[in-house]
């Protein structure tokens, strides 16, 4: 699937362990207010506020968090659709926002995105064949025109669709088939990096499994690096090597799948995991420590630790000092919490003790 | 009786990774197909199309109608001025003693030309401006929107009267330009709002993130998905333009005497219509039928394309 030999003029020759995607201190603030009659810069919605990520070749990173935590904003900045307010995004060592237009087009060939909603992400007036071929039409240097129909057929077969579907329109396909078309489009240019923004959350549960299997299979066969954004922890656990948990624009905990699912240290991660339904009838009736309250407004985030307003063990220090995302004594992976929970201790289940003094 | 052969394995078993959720097998339903189905079932649509086709034929080949329906030899005799319908001359004679049917039939051409040309011109202007304003936003949008509001504030007939009176020597081409200049604003607004609604659609975002240039986004994705309502408004507009053109002729600021048009015929008829009602009746009948057909057809198309009215 790889297209073309490595560019000899590449200013950054490949180093053996360079990550495909490296994000440093990324922030995206949307200014509020403004307008001719109001003072500019009165405030900002801090949708993403200082995120560091690394993604290596062939690796899948799951980004988890509840609605409104900034996952999708992060994805659209990573794809270069929006400029970040601060920080850098490096794709294979090249800073995405320091490139000129031509270089950016070249980088875009290497990273593609699968969008969330298969119903709105395909142009209703284009046939499936034209939709899948569009990335090839945008980057005509990849493949000569006469070889594109064969490529489209190959891509459709790759995602488990009948190449005869190329003449159909999106409304003639089911949701799962449409999402397969979206995946085929993302693979058309032979990318190294695939961003999946909740690719199955708009699908039926039965179809979700098929699309997830397809993604897992393609990732193996094509050696893709995957950033998988989701709010469904079961989906992430199935597919991802590493997990990053996001809360209100920040990463609060990150580690391998075994580390994060096995011994979550951050109270937020633990609450997220506790909210996953457990198919075990003996646990029926057991109280689950659910989070109280809503996500605070990203326009006015709490001081210190952002999670303290909903944290069961928040203390004075949490309001004053912002916890850094580091490995703390007694933990084996980075957490942004002053008081990481001890490993292997079940989270507090009694709602009466849910709130710390 | 049972089949001698057991049912063989079906092709389904050989298909890799087929989706279990059933793909819709019904005939493809799309908005335009639905709209056409709905339009086809309405008699008023066919009636309007018939009238428009007939008028279009009179504009394209007036000789055909004069040859079929009158004994007109192309000569005008003042002695026959304003005579009513007789055998061989079913519409009677006009002020100059010319065959009135021939005159009325020839009057359809400027009306139809103006209606179609003005609407096509205004449609072109509004699609381009609306696309630019809606797609780019920012100062482009502010500039174009303010210009649209200024144009929207100008009254159609009054504005045209003022401009045409200032330039007395004008033909149909100049009138068309003036009417385009006064008529593009409504369609531009519709186009702009459609473009704004479409440009943030996921499929446009997807193409943008793949690296598509703005021209490709606008022409391949935004335009085809945004243009339908504007075309519908344009169809409704044809009738308005025809009546506007006739109004200007009637007021004496549009086409001038040697030209032939329904508006001019109505202008002439206003002094004589009590004694010679046929002078008023025939051009008025043709004008009303044409305008009504375009407006009813536009209405039907709008109903068919507007999902909210279903």
């Amino acid at each position: 699937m790889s297209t073309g030999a490595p560019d000899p003029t590449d200013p950054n020759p490949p180093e053996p362990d360079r990550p495909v995607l490296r994000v440093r201190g990324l922030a995206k603030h949307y200014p509020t207010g403004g307008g001719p009659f109001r003072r500019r810069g009165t405030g900002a919605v801090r949708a993403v506020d200082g995120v560091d990520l690394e993604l290596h070749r062939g690796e899948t990173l799951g980004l988890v968090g509840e609605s409104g935590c900034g996952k999708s904003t992060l994805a659209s900045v990573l794809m270069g659709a929006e400029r970040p307010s601060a920080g850098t995004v490096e794709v294979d060592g090249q800073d995405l926002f320091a490139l000129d237009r031509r270089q950016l087009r070249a980088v875009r060939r290497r990273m593609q995105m699968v969008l969330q909603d298969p119903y709105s992400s395909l142009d209703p007036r284009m046939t499936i064949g034209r939709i899948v071929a569009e990335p090839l039409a945008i980057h005509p240097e990849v493949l000569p025109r006469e070889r594109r129909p064969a490529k489209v057929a190959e891509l459709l077969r790759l995602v488990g669709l009948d190449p005869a579907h190329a003449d159909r329109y999106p409304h003639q396909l089911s949701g799962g088939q449409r999402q397969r078309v979206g995946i085929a489009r993302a693979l058309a240019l032979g990318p190294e990096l695939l961003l999946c923004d909740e690719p199955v959350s708009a699908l039926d549960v039965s179809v979700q499994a098929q699309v997830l299997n397809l993604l897992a299979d393609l990732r193996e066969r094509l050696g893709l690096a995957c950033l998988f954004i989701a709010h469904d922890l079961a989906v992430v656990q199935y597919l991802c090597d590493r997990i990053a948990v996001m809360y209100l624009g920040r990463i609060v905990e990150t580690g391998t799948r075994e580390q994060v699912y096995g011994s979550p240290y951050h109270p937020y991660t633990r609450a997220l995991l506790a909210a996953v339904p457990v198919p075990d009838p003996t646990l029926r009736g057991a109280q689950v420590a659910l989070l109280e309250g809503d996500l605070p407004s990203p326009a006015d985030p709490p001081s210190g630790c952002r999670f303290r307003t909903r944290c069961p063990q928040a203390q004075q220090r949490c309001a004053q000092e912002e916890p850094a995302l580091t490995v703390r004594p007694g933990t084996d992976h980075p957490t942004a919490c002053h008081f990481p929970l001890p490993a292997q201790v079940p989270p507090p289940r009694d709602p009466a003790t849910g709130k710390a003094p | 009786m049972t089949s001698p052969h057991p049912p063989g394995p079906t092709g389904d078993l050989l298909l890799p990774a087929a989706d279990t959720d059933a793909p819709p097998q019904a005939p493809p339903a799309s908005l335009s197909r639905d709209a056409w189905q709905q339009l086809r079932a309405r008699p008023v649509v066919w009636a309007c199309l018939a009238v428009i086709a007939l008028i279009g034929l009179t504009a394209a080949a007036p000789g055909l109608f004069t040859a079929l329906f009158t004994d007109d030899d192309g000569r005008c005799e003042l002695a026959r001025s304003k005579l009513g319908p007789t055998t061989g001359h079913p519409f009677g004679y006009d002020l100059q003693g010319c065959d009135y049917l021939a005159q009325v039939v020839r009057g359809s051409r400027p009306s139809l030309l103006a209606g179609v040309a003005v609407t096509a011109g205004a449609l072109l202007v509004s699609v381009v401006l609306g696309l630019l304003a809606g797609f780019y936003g920012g100062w482009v949008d502010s500039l174009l929107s303010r210009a649209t509001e200024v144009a929207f504030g100008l009254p159609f007939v009054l504005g045209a009267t003022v401009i045409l009176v200032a330039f007395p020597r004008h033909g149909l081409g100049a009138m068309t330009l003036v009417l385009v200049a006064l008529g593009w604003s409504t369609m531009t607004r519709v186009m702009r709002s459609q473009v704004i609604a479409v440009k943030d659609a996921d499929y446009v975002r997807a193409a943008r993130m793949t690296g598509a240039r703005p021209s490709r986004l606008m022409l391949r994705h935004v335009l085809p998905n945004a243009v339908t309502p504007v075309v519908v408004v344009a169809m409704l507009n044809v009738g308005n333009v025809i009546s506007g053109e006739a109004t200007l002729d009637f007021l004496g600021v549009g086409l001038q005497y040697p030209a032939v048009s329904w508006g001019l015929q109505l202008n002439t008829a206003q002094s004589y219509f009590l004694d010679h009602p046929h002078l008023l009746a025939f051009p008025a009948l043709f004008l009303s039928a044409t305008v009504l057909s375009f407006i009813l057809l536009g209405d039907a198309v709008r109903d068919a394309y507007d999902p909210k009215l279903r």
Side-chain angles (χ1 to χ4, degrees), chain A residues 35-50:
Chain A
F37 301 113
R38 262 186 280 169
R39 201 159 51 85
R40 274 207 179 270
T42 45
V45 174
R46 297 157 173 245
V48 177
D49 204 14

Side-chain angles (χ1 to χ4, degrees), chain A residues 164-178:
Chain A
H165 283 12
D167 294 329
R168 300 210 187 164
Y169 284 89
H171 65 260
Q172 292 168 286
L173 302 186
S174 67
Q177 287 175 322
R178 285 164 172 238

Side-chain angles (χ1 to χ4, degrees), chain A residues 126-171:
Chain A
M126 286 170 100
T127 60
I128 301 305
R130 279 185 64 199
I131 289 172
V132 174
E134 190 177 30
L136 298 168
I138 293 171
H139 299 271
E141 69 281 4
V142 176
L143 202 63
R145 183 180 291 269
E146 63 274 9
R147 282 174 55 199
R148 287 182 203 155
K151 177 75 176 176
V152 168
E154 179 198 323
L155 285 164
L156 289 177
R157 260 193 298 273
L158 187 68
V159 297
L161 287 173
D162 185 349
H165 283 12
D167 294 329
R168 300 210 187 164
Y169 284 89
H171 65 260

Side-chain angles (χ1 to χ4, degrees), chain B residues 102-112 245 260-263 265:
Chain B
Q103 295 293 312
V104 170
V105 161
R106 288 196 186 98
S108 66
R109 187 177 287 178
S111 293
L112 271 196
E245 190 269 342
V260 180
S261 86
W262 291 334
Q265 286 157 5

